Structure formats: C-alpha cells, structure tokens
Amino acid sequence: MTPILEVKDLEVKFKTSFGEVKAIRKVSFDLSEGETLALVGESGSGKSVTSKAIMKLLASNGKICGGEIKYNNKVISNLNKKEICKIRGKEIAMIFQDPMTSLNPTTKIGKQIRNAYMFHHKCTKKEAKQKVYDLIAEVGIDRPELRYNQYAHQFSGGMRQRIVIAIAIACNPKILICDEPTTALDVTIQAQILELLKTLKEKHKTAIIFITHDLGVVANIADRIAVMYAGEIVEIGKSHEIFYKSEHPYTWGLLGSMPHLETDDDKLYAIPGSPPNLLNPPKGDAFSLRSKYALVVDRENQPPFFKISETHYAKTWLLHEFSPKVVKPKSIQIAFEKYKSRVGEIDE
C-alpha cells in the first residue's frame, strides 16, 4: 500500500538565546490510509514538534532545516503559508491537548465549527449550519440545535474536546493528528474520547497520528508505535511487537514505568536521569547516559536501525551480532505479563 504521508530524514532546529536546539534529528516514518501510528516518548522527545512540522505550525524561531515531508507524493514541507492553508483542516487536521485553549471563548461553538467548514467549502450559511448540527451529533453531543448557540465555558472538558474533534473532522480530512488529546481528561472521559476516535477512523477511513507519553493509552488504538527519544525515533514496529518483543532499553523503561493496579510492589519504576540537552546532543547513542546496558561503542557512535522483522526496527547496538546477549530486566517481563492481563492480547 502506498503511504499517504512520508516523513524522511526530518530535521528541525530552534534558535534560542543559548544557541540552536536540534529538536528533531533525522526522523523518518510513513503513514498509510486508515492506519493509526502512535508517537510515544517522554516530554521533550520531539513528538509534538514533529507533528507541528508536518502542519507547518512551528514557532517563529523554529525551522525545518533538513529532510522532506510528502503528502500524497507531493512535497509539502516547502509550501508557503497560502499553499499550506489549503491543506490544513481539509486534508490534514489537528486536535490539540487542551480544548479550552483551542476554542475561542467569545465565539459561539456553532460558529466556530461552521467557520472551519466554510473555509474549505463553498456553501450557504444555512447549509453549513445543518452540517454543524450533524457534526455535533456525530461526536456524541445531544441537542445540537441548543449546543450550536452555546459558548465553550458552558461545556464540560470532555464535551469541549468533542467539539474540537468536530472542528477537526468538519472537512473529512485524510489525516488526523491528535496531540495528547486525552491528557487533560479523567480516565472515564479519556476512554470515551479514544472510543470516539476509533469509531470516526473506521467510518471515514481516516489515518491518525496519535501523540502521547503514555503507552497504555495507545495499546488498543494504535496499529504501529514509534518510540521517540531526544529528537529521534529509536524503535518502531507494530503494536504487539513494541509491547511484547521490544528491543530498545528506552522502550523497556517506558513499559516498566507504566502503573497498573495488579502490581505486588509498592514502588513505581522510573527511568533514571534526564534526557540530554539538545543544544549539544551526545556524540553516540543519546540514551546511553541513562542505560545500564550501554556499551563502550554507545559513547562514540550512533547505532543504525537494526531490522528485527519486516515491520520492526530498533536503533541500539545491543542488536549487533557481536554485542553481548542481554536478558530483559525481570521487572519489565513482569510488566509485560501484568499489562497483557489488563488489556488482553494485542492483535498481530
């Protein structure tokens, strides 16, 4: 299947008073029609910057300085503001983390959704209004005629996020980028929003890039997972490969630090140390300073991607044929089994 989106060797830098921050370093991935790809990693790993680079929504001090982004075989990373505006919302839409900051508090909800639709469609206000009623109902909010004339502060957090989703899907985009859309919500509403996204994906055949720091959120929604660290993708594969067959020590750390109710231990595992300063990225493997499995070569040379299967790759010297064999930590193996019992088997 031909990818609908291709990101190849993407590099993004930000100019600061301290120097250039190398936020994204040679990131490559693709996305197929109807697929959900999750980008996971700690805060500062480059997930949101990658998504904003795709949408050309980088801050004024940021720029794409290498690589390219293709949508439907057309390079979009070099489009000007007028050209990218034709794609934003219509072809590629985005849902941000906090719905309250995404909505205009002084404008009625109905008008905000209507404006998003009419920006890309020639139609009368009456026709657009009916479309808005349909969108409000589609995202699971009752009495759309009443809601049309209400303001954001009259909605709960979960309802506001549903409205943001309605705005994002107004033009039936081919790609939906979800930047931690459930972080500000409680667990119950979080589950409802995830179920809504799954339903919309199946109905409209929309491809989704789902950004989160929580692997648990994407277990039953993502087809593939890309693990990011220090501006790079360090492991990528299908969901079941990342959860049950992961090979990068950083992925082990993320999995081991997921809290679950079934634990017999009163301590929560945490990855030691902090991510590196990307003003001066490490010479070798960026995670080596925090990994007890680091080899001498990790301090000198960046590892290439090693092929584990046709769909699974990891960037670690531990997969080199001459590297010592490492047994995954017992805590991680326990976490795998505990998590499997919690969410069930992830489909292969």
Side-chain angles (χ1 to χ4, degrees), residues 202-242:
E202 293 166 3
K203 181 178 179 180
H204 299 288
K205 307 300 181 186
T206 307
I208 295 176
I209 297 177
F210 197 100
I211 296 166
T212 182
H213 61 274
D214 185 355
L215 272 166
V217 168
V218 299
N220 289 323
I221 191 173
D223 300 302
R224 288 190 300 141
I225 297 173
V227 180
M228 292 193 71
Y229 182 76
E232 302 175 299
I233 290 178
V234 296
E235 186 163 10
I236 187 168
K238 290 187 176 181
S239 290
H240 72 276
E241 292 173 323
I242 297 299

Side-chain angles (χ1 to χ4, degrees), residues 59 62 65 86 104 117 154 204 219-220 236 256 285 308 315:
C65 54
K86 294 178 181 179
N104 187 334
Y117 181 74
Q154 294 175 281
H204 299 288
N220 289 323
I236 187 168
D285 184 348
I308 302 164
K315 201 173 184 181

